Amino acid sequence: QVQLVESGGGLVQPGGSLRLSCAASGIIFSRYSISWFRQAPGKQRELVATITSNYYTNYAGSVKGRFTISRENAKNTMYLQMSSLKPEDTAVYYCNNPSGTWYWGQGTQVTVSS
């Protein structure tokens, strides 16, 4: 069974930076594309970024140029470096495969506010 644990969220001022981590277990991590999703209050969960097993990356238009997704297969861990954060980035951030078919973790809260 796949287990996903997100961490690294917090409160940050607009323009600030955070790095999120996603630790995965129960899978051969290196074989899978992995994605970050986020869900803001009252909104549907949305796909933020994806990294494939071959390290190709793709981003939602709203975060392109500000967020960087990466992975460290030796640690079964994926990261999301977030810079130039905006209040609209406030959400709970989750990791999963791009189809969102694994069991969802608890997520990590990111709040961007002055």
Side-chain angles (χ1 to χ4, degrees):
Q1 182 177 349
V2 182
Q3 289 190 319
L4 303 166
V5 179
E6 302 91 350
S7 62
L11 173 63
V12 63
Q13 292 187 342
S17 299
L18 277 176
R19 189 176 84 152
L20 307 183
S21 298
C22 166
S25 60
I27 55 171
I28 301 175
F29 183 75
S30 61
R31 293 184 179 178
Y32 292 91
S33 296
I34 305 286
S35 298
W36 283 101
F37 296 78
R38 67 185 181 186
Q39 187 167 21
K43 294 189 176 181
Q44 287 191 329
R45 191 172 289 165
E46 64 172 342
L47 180 63
V48 174
T50 298
I51 185 165
T52 71
S53 58
N54 291 327
Y55 295 88
Y56 291 111
T57 59
N58 193 42
Y59 298 90
S62 58
V63 306
K64 211 167 195 176
R66 300 188 297 120
F67 290 10
T68 302
I69 189 171
S70 61
R71 65 192 298 162
E72 192 170 357
N73 289 340
K75 294 186 177 181
N76 283 9
T77 301
M78 174 181 67
Y79 304 99
L80 187 68
Q81 178 67 47
M82 306 186 295
S83 303
S84 302
L85 282 161
K86 304 176 181 180
E88 50 263 44
D89 295 318
T90 295
V92 180
Y93 284 71
Y94 302 88
C95 55
N96 209 306
N97 64 61
S99 299
T101 56
W102 292 333
Y103 184 82
W104 292 93
Q106 82 288 350
T108 187
Q109 175 72 49
V110 172
T111 303
V112 184
S113 174
S114 55

